[in-house]
Amino acid sequence: MSGIEQPKNFGNGWISGALSVTLGAIGVGAVLCFHFPWILTMPELREVYPVPYVRALLHLILVSSFVLGVVSLILRQTKAAGLTGIGLTLLAALMGGSQVPIDGEMTDGPFLGLDWFLLNLIVFSALFVPLEQLFPKRTEQPILRPSWRTDLTYFFVSAVLVQLTTILTLKPAMIFFSWAVNAQIQSWVTSLPYVVQFLGVLLVADLTQYWVHRAFHSVPFLWRFHAVHHSAESMDWLAGARLHIVDIAVTRGISYIPIYLLGFAEAPIFAYIVFVSVQATFIHSNLRFEFGPFRWLTATPQFHHWHHCADPTLVDKNFAVHLPVLDRLFGTYYLPKGVWPTSYGVIGGTESSNGYLRQLLQPFLPEKPDRSTAKE
Ligand SMILES: [Zn+2]
Ligand SMILES: [Zn+2]
């Protein structure tokens, strides 16, 4: 195991090694996207990529990965990270590097969103990893904390299956509720300013999500799926990705129904999707911001961390993703000033059966997560 005894602070080659591996892996993924764009990229994104700039960025990523790998080799006794980073860079270069041709016929058929995963990984890690280093709640928690591989797998699978999750979100409303569409209501909603529509989507989505989330906690069969999300014992930006695919499909599918019926315009819905993905990541993050007197206004890490508290009496609190006022309204608000949970996860829960595939199958297995122990 590389570097367990060696220090990880600046100047020891750990940071350069980790960055080299990350950038090298991103480089290999990006080259694969160029080689197989019809199956590994999103059609919506293909049309808007500024390809010369993407190539320049890819070139920069590969050069940086190589240089950082060399730096890590020089600074660090254990060479695994540096060699892996350099190996990935060379692999990407052998496959064509930043000059790789765009291969194949584009189709609108089934695809995997590898490009969507890479973009999400770049944006969210570049935003949250430095913030969590600068303003951590738990200063002792390392970037590569226990179970990071499990949560990165969730992050990867959710992004790569973006076509499937989009269909599962949109189709149920369209198939089962088209009879309830009212043209008058929809034309009134679309006549509203985009800002008002955005706030409307946010309110409607969180209101629906609140009750779906509560149902996931109170109905034992649903809790089997949602327990996976609560099994995380380390909270950071990556922990929020730990969601069972059934949890994602049901929550998003139902939350979209009122948005579909009200007929909001595409732009405010798209803005909301960007907003919710940032806020859902933020509320899980290891960030100490409490928002002072505004803490009741919007969900914060402290607010949602209580929802993940290992104390079973506090798990059924703070269901909202955006608006704590919903929890106040429905009697589930819990936010003691300046106090944070000391541990996370489901008591008698599922962290022991870690790993993506085990957790994917777990809800279907006979023995269920021991919620009774957790509740009493
Ligand atoms: Zn929950
Ligand atoms: Zn959560």
Side-chain angles (χ1 to χ4, degrees):
M1 298 305 285
S2 67
I4 282 179
E5 300 83 12
Q6 288 183 261
K8 292 179 175 174
N9 50 333
F10 188 79
N12 287 290
W14 188 86
I15 296 170
S16 52
L19 274 173
S20 173
V21 172
T22 308
L23 293 174
I26 289 171
V28 169
V31 173
L32 283 173
C33 286
F34 273 100
H35 268 302
F36 309 103
W38 74 94
I39 188 73
L40 293 181
T41 65
M42 287 178 74
E44 295 84 354
L45 291 175
R46 278 175 216 156
E47 288 157 22
V48 295
Y49 282 129
V51 175
Y53 291 101
V54 176
R55 286 189 188 281
L57 182 66
L58 178 55
H59 189 73
L60 190 68
I61 284 173
L62 293 176
V63 171
S64 308
S65 169
F66 186 83
V67 172
L68 288 163
V70 172
V71 170
S72 179
L73 281 185
I74 294 167
L75 292 175
R76 200 156 183 80
Q77 272 181 330
T78 39
K79 309 296 181 191
L83 287 174
T84 308
I86 291 171
L88 288 167
T89 315
L90 292 178
L91 179 64
L94 283 173
M95 291 193 300
S98 60
Q99 295 311 308
V100 54
I102 300 174
D103 290 337
E105 289 278 307
M106 299 308 146
T107 63
D108 281 336
F111 67 89
L112 297 170
L114 181 60
D115 58 341
W116 184 237
F117 163 70
L118 294 173
L119 285 171
N120 275 285
L121 182 67
I122 292 168
V123 169
F124 282 100
S125 61
L127 188 64
F128 282 99
V129 173
L131 276 176
E132 286 185 343
Q133 294 307 299
L134 289 170
F135 310 101
K137 177 60 200 167
R138 290 166 171 263
T139 47
E140 74 286 358
Q141 183 170 296
I143 297 174
L144 300 183
R145 41 68 176 181
S147 298
W148 69 270
R149 288 181 190 83
T150 301
D151 292 338
L152 185 63
T153 308
Y154 278 98
F155 193 87
F156 173 77
V157 173
S158 299
V160 160
L161 295 183
V162 60
Q163 188 179 30
L164 177 68
T165 53
T166 305
I167 291 169
L168 291 173
T169 303
L170 305 184
K171 286 294 173 187
M174 292 170 172
I175 292 169
F176 298 113
F177 290 90
S178 58
W179 57 270
V181 168
N182 180 311
Q184 264 184 320
I185 293 175
Q186 291 200 340
S187 66
W188 178 74
V189 171
T190 42
S191 73
L192 296 168
Y194 275 178
V195 179
V196 178
Q197 286 194 55
F198 170 80
L199 294 173
V201 175
L202 190 145
L203 175 64
V204 168
D206 211 19
L207 188 59
T208 320
Q209 181 280 139
Y210 174 93
W211 286 105
V212 176
H213 191 176
R214 258 183 97 156
F216 266 102
H217 276 241
S218 51
V219 179
F221 174 71
L222 291 177
W223 172 253
R224 289 177 172 223
F225 296 96
H226 190 58
V228 168
H229 182 62
H230 282 266
S231 71
E233 291 178 356
S234 306
M235 293 295 277
D236 65 4
W237 68 281
L238 203 51
R242 187 184 294 213
L243 282 164
H244 196 281
I245 185 88
V246 171
D247 193 341
I248 294 176
V250 172
T251 305
R252 291 189 194 167
I254 297 178
S255 301
Y256 181 65
I257 293 167
I259 294 168
Y260 166 74
L261 290 177
L262 289 166
F264 291 101
E266 257 182 44
I269 292 179
F270 183 75
Y272 173 73
I273 292 169
V274 174
F275 184 79
V276 69
S277 56
V278 174
Q279 181 147 21
T281 307
F282 172 66
I283 61 178
H284 291 92
S285 67
N286 180 27
L287 287 170
R288 59 172 180 254
F289 307 130
E290 294 180 12
F291 284 39
F294 301 105
R295 52 219 266 279
W296 59 272
L297 194 65
T298 187
T300 58
Q302 187 194 16
F303 174 83
H304 193 68
H305 280 214
W306 280 112
H307 183 72
H308 281 264
C309 178
D311 180 342
T313 58
L314 296 171
V315 171
D316 296 327
K317 303 285 181 194
N318 300 359
F319 290 102
V321 170
H322 307 293
L323 304 167
V325 69
L326 294 176
D327 283 285
R328 292 196 117 154
L329 202 61
F330 302 125
T332 50
Y333 182 77
Y334 184 77
L335 196 59
K337 204 173 175 193
V339 187
W340 290 64
T342 48
S343 60
Y344 304 101
V346 181
I347 294 174
T350 45
E351 179 83 343
S352 51
S353 54
N354 222 320
Y356 180 82
L357 280 178
R358 281 218 54 173
Q359 294 190 343
L360 185 70
L361 297 175
Q362 186 161 290
F364 303 103
L365 300 177
E367 101 273 22
K368 58 182 182 183
D370 196 359
R371 188 101 212 270
S372 54
T373 326
K375 292 287 274 184
E376 269 115 38

